[in-house]
Structures are given as C-alpha cells and as structure tokens.
Amino acid sequence: MRKSTLLYLTMAAAVVLLNAAARNSTAFADWYIAHIFPVWVNTYGRVSGLFPFSVGEWMLGAGVALAGGTVLLGIVWAGIGAVRAARYVLRGTGHRRSVHAPGIEAAVCRAGAEDDMGAPGMFGNGTMEIAAGMRGFERFSRRYYRFFAWVLVCVCLVMTLNCFILYHASTFSRQYFGQDDNEYTLEELIEVYNMVAEQCNSLSRVMERDESGMVLYRGSIGRDGALLDMEDMARELMAQLGEDYPRLDGYYPRPKALAASDFMCQQHMQGYYFPFSMEANYNDVMHILNFPSTMCHELAHLRGYIYEDEANFIAYLACVRSEDAFFRYAGYLSVLVYLNNDIYKAWKENRAAYEEAITHIRPVEVEAQVWKDNIFVAQEEWDRINGKALIDTEIVDKAADVFIDTNLKVNGISDGAVSYSRVVRLLLQYYKMQKSSI
C-alpha cells in the first residue's frame, strides 16, 4: 500500500474514531477542549490573526470554487460518456444493418478500425490530437479528484477537531453553575426581564448619537487606561471574564469584519466562527449595537463553547460587566428580545397565570428609543442590499435556516435552531444563583 493511501485512510479513521469517542464520552470531549483545543487557537489561530482580512472567508470561497469544479468535471465526463455510448450504439446499428449489405459492413468496420488506431477516419486528420487531448484531460481529472478527496478528508478532520467534538463537552452552565433542576416561575422571568429593560431604558438615554439618532462609538478605555477600539475591547472583556471562569482564560485573536457582510445580512447572520482558521468574524453592515455581543459571542466559540445559547450568554456577561456604557447597553439589548418573547409566549399559552403573575410584578415598559436601537440592519442598508442582490433575500434566509438547523441536529441538538432561545434559562439560573449568594 502506498504511503499516501495509508495516510489518507489513517486520517479518515481518525475522523470516525474521534467523533465516536466524543459522542460516547463527555469526559473525553472535556479533556480534549482543556488540553488540545487551545493548541489550535495558539498556533494557527495566531498565524491567521496576522492577516487583516478573514482568512477563513477566503478559504470558504476557495472550497466553494473547488466543489463547483468537481461538479463541472462530473458534468463534462457525463457528457463524454453519453457521446461514447451514442457512438457505440451507432456502430452496433451499422453492424446489424450490414448483414444485408456486406460491402457497407466492410467499409464501416474499416472506418472504425482506423478511428481506434488514430488514423484518419470519421474525425479526419485531427483524431490523434483529440486522443492525446483526451488522455491529458483524463490525467487532469484524476489528479483533480484526488486533490478534492484529500481536501475533503482534511476538512472533515478540521471540523471534527475544531467543531464537532465541542458539541459533546460539558456545558458552561454545568461546569460553573451545576445541574439545573430548577422550575422557574413567570414572576422570576418578569423580574429578570424588568432588570434588563430598566438597564436598556437608562443606558439608551446616555448614548451619544448623530443627527439621525444613530448611536455613535468613540472607543473604550481599557484596564490600563489606553484607548481601545471595539475589537480589542471585546478581547479584553473576554479575558477578564476568564478570571472568574477559567476555561475562558487564554489568548483571543482580534475579531475581523467579513467582506461578504451583505450576504451575511441576507442570511440574518451576525457573525461566524471559522473552524478552519480559528477566527471570530462579524457582520459589519448590521446595526452598530450588535457588534459588541457578536464579537464576544464568536470569541466564546474559540474557548470551546460551541452552543449558540451559551455563546450568547457568555457574550452577555462579558458586555454587561464592562465599565463602558456602550458595551453594557449592547449586552442588555442582546437578550431583551429573548426575554420579551418568552413573556409573550407565557401570556399567549396561559393568560390566567399571566394575569395572576402581573398582580405581583408588572413588566417594565420598554421605551420607544430602545426598540429603535434594537434592530438587525438599518432600512437604508436593507434597501441597498436587496437592490443589488443576485439571489432573493428570502431564499438565502430560508437556505441558511435549513443549514443551521440541520447542522445542530446532526451534532445532537434535537430541537435544532430552537436552542437559541435557551439563553433565557441561563439568565434565570445565573440571577437566581446571584440572589442566593447574597
């Protein structure tokens, strides 16, 4: 067996065994994240961080082009196969007809023989050149598909090491808050909602704004008194959070804006973690108040927390602990809709219980300015994006939903994208612990 073949089979076997080990042993996944996963962040995560652009985005583009070439070659070879089959059928038809015309049979047979030998026949004097070209195309196709097979096994291995194993580790809440067997009341939900709503109302009034009412960001003051931009402030806040939650401690690369942010808007995606380059990427076309929580969310993935609800919660904690009002406002805004939706759901499903709860504690009214700030993308940006989009936004959004939901289910999250709303339970668990510790 050739060494390259042995290496390929070894890598394929590693993909299978690592996934099987992670799915069957939380302890293995936890050990891997604690001891091996940081190596990738500290090595090629640092290297990719040297580039000012998203390396992962370019790698993804190259992957799409490679897959497209694979499909195109398949179509070409399907066409060649169809032509060869047609020629075979036509030759067979000629032989059958020659039973009644021996002279024609001899002529057809001679023509076929000359074609096969490369001499002038039905293709004329260019037959030899065509045959040589076909042999060259066959060699190119074999090499291309061999290269594609190597890329595919490498992608599977990287995704396993930097993504799939992470889905089977202990959750953030289990590690630091313990088993959550609590049953939370509607009053407790409203209490947390009110705290968040009050903070949003208060902070919205102190935001610096332009003439249109859009929030402005002038930079943040770091721990050492230096002026930091948003990306470096997000890194510092995540590092500070690591002082209380050790697995969050370590090196964080600088978050990077995506060149394809318009396309990300069409998918309603705020950020993306690229396992291939160990980068945290964000959509820089969305509303500015989405930036802080998105940056921290994607950085949380780089510490091994792959679940979206946990990354949302970690980002929330990082932002609201900041001394910077802009980051705190962004943090509270990031969970406001989740809480509001759960209160609305409680009202819709059991109005009698809701009416009983609000006799004890009424939901705080969120000011109009907060809801104006709590948007994904400004309308003028939507108009620009939809005006030049090659594919309708609704189609892109539905395709993205299917992809995300499928990916979550494949990795063992049975309710798919619904897991995003679990951040509310994490908030309830966290604040209940905070109250009990006082």
Side-chain angles (χ1 to χ4, degrees):
M1 183 182 294
R2 294 170 56 185
K3 290 183 178 179
S4 60
T5 303
L6 180 60
L7 177 61
Y8 186 91
L9 293 175
T10 301
M11 292 173 66
V15 170
V16 175
L17 293 174
L18 286 169
N19 276 285
R23 284 179 177 272
N24 290 282
S25 174
T26 300
F28 168 76
D30 288 343
W31 176 87
Y32 172 82
I33 293 173
H35 298 94
I36 306 299
F37 184 70
V39 173
W40 316 136
V41 183
N42 289 318
T43 53
Y44 68 86
R46 289 180 183 270
V47 174
S48 62
L50 298 174
F51 296 88
F53 55 86
S54 172
V55 176
E57 188 175 20
W58 282 94
M59 293 174 73
L60 185 61
V64 170
L66 181 64
T70 303
V71 173
L72 182 61
L73 273 179
I75 293 172
V76 171
W77 276 109
I80 291 172
V83 170
R84 286 176 171 173
R87 288 180 61 190
Y88 178 80
V89 170
L90 288 174
R91 285 181 179 179
T93 303
H95 283 291
R96 287 193 296 273
R97 288 178 179 173
S98 67
V99 172
H100 304 288
I104 295 177
E105 177 186 8
V108 171
C109 289
R110 283 196 300 274
E114 289 171 348
D115 280 346
D116 292 336
M117 294 169 60
M122 65 182 296
F123 289 110
N125 294 329
T127 302
M128 293 182 67
E129 288 80 2
I130 293 173
M134 281 301 300
R135 287 193 295 271
F137 185 61
E138 287 176 2
R139 285 194 298 271
F140 169 78
S141 298
R142 284 195 298 271
R143 290 171 181 171
Y144 189 94
Y145 279 112
R146 189 178 297 118
F147 176 71
F148 179 79
W150 274 103
V151 170
L152 185 62
V153 77
C154 287
V155 166
C156 291
L157 183 58
V158 170
M159 287 296 292
T160 296
L161 294 172
N162 295 346
C163 186
F164 297 155
I165 292 177
L166 312 185
Y167 278 104
H168 307 288
S170 297
T171 61
F172 179 87
S173 57
R174 176 66 69 86
Q175 285 179 317
Y176 296 111
F177 303 156
Q179 180 68 32
D180 184 16
D181 297 322
N182 297 314
E183 290 296 328
Y184 301 103
T185 66
L186 180 54
E187 292 179 26
E188 288 176 307
L189 173 61
I190 295 174
E191 184 179 1
V192 173
Y193 170 81
N194 284 353
M195 181 274 295
V196 170
E198 287 168 355
Q199 289 290 337
C200 286
N201 288 342
S202 175
L203 289 165
S204 71
R205 302 185 202 116
V206 300
M207 290 295 103
E208 184 181 357
R209 301 176 184 273
D210 63 16
E211 61 278 1
S212 68
M214 183 68 72
V215 173
L216 298 175
Y217 176 73
R218 304 292 187 183
S220 302
I221 304 300
R223 260 188 170 181
D224 60 358
L227 181 65
L228 302 178
D229 62 14
M230 203 181 301
E231 289 85 353
D232 282 336
M233 189 60 185
R235 296 171 70 194
E236 181 171 294
L237 291 175
M238 289 296 292
Q240 289 179 25
L241 204 58
E243 295 172 5
D244 292 331
Y245 306 103
R247 210 172 98 182
L248 289 172
D249 190 27
Y251 167 75
Y252 287 97
R254 182 178 168 85
K256 299 177 183 179
L258 288 160
S261 287
D262 285 357
F263 188 60
M264 292 288 288
C265 289
Q266 289 188 280
Q267 301 174 66
H268 287 82
M269 293 284 288
Q270 294 182 332
Y272 203 89
Y273 156 63
F274 280 113
F276 311 107
S277 57
M278 301 306 286
E279 292 175 303
N281 298 265
Y282 66 93
N283 174 347
D284 69 345
V285 174
M286 62 184 176
H287 190 273
I288 191 171
L289 281 165
N290 294 312
F291 286 19
S293 59
T294 299
M295 291 178 186
C296 293
H297 173 114
E298 302 307 330
L299 289 173
H301 289 324
L302 287 164
R303 303 311 324 155
Y305 294 107
I306 200 67
Y307 288 101
E308 294 299 319
D309 55 307
E310 293 203 314
N312 284 342
F313 176 71
I314 292 168
Y316 167 82
L317 285 185
C319 289
V320 301
R321 289 184 172 198
S322 173
E323 296 295 325
D324 188 291
F326 177 85
F327 268 79
R328 291 203 309 278
Y329 185 33
Y332 287 115
L333 274 180
S334 72
V335 299
L336 180 64
V337 170
Y338 291 114
L339 291 161
N340 184 76
N341 287 348
D342 275 17
I343 290 176
Y344 172 77
K345 182 180 179 182
W347 168 80
K348 188 175 181 181
E349 293 181 350
N350 193 334
R351 298 193 183 184
Y354 176 82
E355 294 297 333
E356 172 64 23
I358 64 173
T359 62
H360 304 287
I361 179 171
R362 297 190 65 86
V364 168
E365 183 178 352
V366 176
E367 295 176 3
Q369 183 60 61
V370 174
W371 292 124
K372 288 180 182 178
D373 292 336
N374 195 24
I375 60 172
F376 174 46
V377 176
Q379 187 57 50
E380 57 267 26
E381 291 290 355
W382 274 128
D383 294 340
R384 179 185 61 80
I385 292 167
N386 290 325
K388 69 172 190 176
L390 297 177
I391 306 175
D392 185 79
T393 295
E394 186 176 350
I395 295 174
V396 175
D397 187 33
K398 287 181 178 178
D401 285 345
V402 170
F403 173 78
I404 293 169
D405 193 61
T406 302
N407 181 59
L408 292 171
K409 288 179 177 177
V410 164
N411 284 286
I413 306 175
S414 60
D415 52 353
V418 177
S419 67
Y420 277 56
S421 65
R422 291 180 186 166
V423 68
V424 172
R425 189 171 183 88
L426 286 166
L427 288 166
L428 292 169
Q429 184 182 13
Y430 174 74
Y431 282 111
K432 189 164 190 172
M433 287 181 58
Q434 293 291 303
K435 285 179 65 177
S436 63
S437 64
I438 297 175

